[in-house]
């Protein structure tokens, strides 16, 4: 299965989530940055508020796109020690990467929250959206973080995922919705005709539009 772009992926996903349409306690959270574009379409179709969660991926030594761990918005960290060892990502390298990624995270949080403040999520139903799942690290760390915030329900959502990663996510989330599961996963971009990098300006534009639409 292929998608024209993230917008099409979001629209297709929303058709599988109609039970959440206009649900009073529900909110759509997109993982920055690409997940926000998908999440915007989901939120728009379901008439739900949209916001962003700012995680950071910890890339492997020599393979920055391969996640050996992730940092949640609240600082919660998840590390795949086996993957780190296999890629030769030593503790000193990981420490440097965590320091660097936390600084980027702080900057983006400061930027995004000016456009879309995020209040308490306690008792909320969370539709947690990404644009694709390779290792599952980023979604899993955000699920853990959300649990601590006493949310009512977590629905993990992605257009495409590796089978192995999605099995882990299904075990942790209350519900998991994915359109395409692949055993031989070659990378998220291979499932999109247009996988253009998402910049901060686009995220801010989508957040402002959503705030206006659901004010």
């Amino acid at each position: 299965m292929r998608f024209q772009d993230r917008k099409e992926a979001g629209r297709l996903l929303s058709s599988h989530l109609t039970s959440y349409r206009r649900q009073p306690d529900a909110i759509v959270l997109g993982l920055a940055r690409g997940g926000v574009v998908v999440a915007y379409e989901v939120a728009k179709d379901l008439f739900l508020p949209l916001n962003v969660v700012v995680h950071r991926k910890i890339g492997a030594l020599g393979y920055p796109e391969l996640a050996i761990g992730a940092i949640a918005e609240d600082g919660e960290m998840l590390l795949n020690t086996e993957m780190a060892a296999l890629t030769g990502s030593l503790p000193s390298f990981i420490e440097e990467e965590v320091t660097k990624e936390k600084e980027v995270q702080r900057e983006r949080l400061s930027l995004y929250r000016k456009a879309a403040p995020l209040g308490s999520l306690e008792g909320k139903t969370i539709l947690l959206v990404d644009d694709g799942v390779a290792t599952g690290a980023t979604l899993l760390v955000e699920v853990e973080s959300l649990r601590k915030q006493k949310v009512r329900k977590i629905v993990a959502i992605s257009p495409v995922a590796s089978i192995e990663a999605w099995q882990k996510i299904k075990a942790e989330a209350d519900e998991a919705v994915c359109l395409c599961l692949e055993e031989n996963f070659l990378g998220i971009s291979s499932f999109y005709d247009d996988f253009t990098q998402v910049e901060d300006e686009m995220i801010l534009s989508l957040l402002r539009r959503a705030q206006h639409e659901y004010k």
Side-chain angles (χ1 to χ4, degrees), residues 115-163:
L118 184 63
S120 172
L121 297 176
E122 184 174 350
K124 298 283 189 180
T125 293
I126 308 298
L127 277 64
L128 187 63
V129 184
D130 207 351
D131 58 2
V133 176
T135 66
T138 52
L139 261 181
L140 286 169
V141 77
E142 288 299 347
V143 169
E144 287 186 15
S145 175
L146 289 168
R147 291 287 183 214
K148 293 179 180 179
Q149 298 178 58
K150 300 179 181 179
V151 301
R152 189 176 76 84
K153 183 178 183 179
I154 301 172
V155 186
I157 301 165
S158 178
V160 62
S162 72
I163 292 175

Side-chain angles (χ1 to χ4, degrees), residues 27 40 48-52 112-118 204-215:
I27 181 172
Y40 176 81
L48 294 176
L50 170 75
N51 215 306
V52 58
Y112 297 160
R113 289 289 170 251
K114 289 177 183 177
L118 184 63
L204 293 171
S205 174
L206 293 175
L207 291 173
R208 288 172 180 139
R209 284 163 62 183
Q211 293 291 314
H212 174 73
E213 290 166 359
Y214 303 109
K215 188 174 181 181

Side-chain angles (χ1 to χ4, degrees), residues 28-99:
V28 181
L29 297 181
L31 273 71
R33 292 191 275 189
V36 178
V37 181
V38 181
Y40 176 81
E41 298 299 326
V42 171
K44 183 175 66 174
D45 287 355
L46 300 182
F47 299 94
L48 294 176
L50 170 75
N51 215 306
V52 58
V53 285
V54 184
H55 71 283
R56 293 302 296 168
K57 177 175 66 177
I58 304 168
L61 178 64
Y63 304 92
E65 293 305 313
L66 177 64
I68 58 172
I71 308 166
E73 183 169 310
D74 66 354
E76 177 83 22
M77 191 170 81
L78 179 69
L79 182 66
N80 185 329
T81 54
E82 182 179 353
M83 184 68 72
L86 285 172
T87 56
S89 303
L90 299 176
S92 57
F93 166 80
I94 294 170
E95 184 177 351
E96 289 178 4
E97 288 299 294
V98 169
T99 299

